[in-house]
Amino acid sequence: MIDIGPIIKQKLKERKKTIVWLAENLSCSRTNVYKIFNKRSVDTADLLRISDILDFDFFELYSKELKKRKQK
């Protein structure tokens, strides 16, 4: 299973962006960003917005996981 919240947090760090920056781009509070970091899953519409903002295809992680499962 993919825990997407910590991965989003890592990508934000890799991009050298702040939580405030992400909150502003998502039009939400910093508290909500911290909540996202602690989630195992994120609504697909929200994940699409986050993917766009951070310029990373988080959906690809799920595609790779699905392919791995099918190979077993």
Side-chain angles (χ1 to χ4, degrees):
M1 185 64 151
I2 295 173
D3 287 334
I4 198 66
I7 298 170
I8 293 169
K9 183 178 182 179
Q10 179 61 36
K11 290 299 171 186
L12 181 67
K13 185 176 179 180
E14 287 174 13
R15 303 288 191 266
K16 297 183 169 99
K17 299 294 184 181
T18 66
I19 290 167
V20 172
W21 177 85
L22 183 57
E24 288 173 356
N25 279 275
L26 287 172
S27 300
C28 71
S29 68
R30 291 180 314 175
T31 302
N32 284 342
V33 172
Y34 285 111
K35 287 179 183 177
I36 290 169
F37 293 161
N38 290 317
K39 288 186 174 184
R40 293 195 71 178
S41 63
V42 175
D43 177 78
T44 54
D46 293 335
L47 191 58
L48 181 60
R49 288 182 61 217
I50 294 167
S51 293
D52 188 37
I53 291 166
L54 292 178
D55 193 31
F56 182 81
D57 184 1
F58 290 98
F59 293 96
E60 184 178 1
L61 301 173
Y62 289 100
S63 294
K64 287 179 181 178
E65 178 68 19
L66 182 60
K67 286 177 186 173
K68 270 197 245 179
R69 289 180 184 198
K70 289 191 176 221
Q71 289 175 353
K72 289 183 180 181

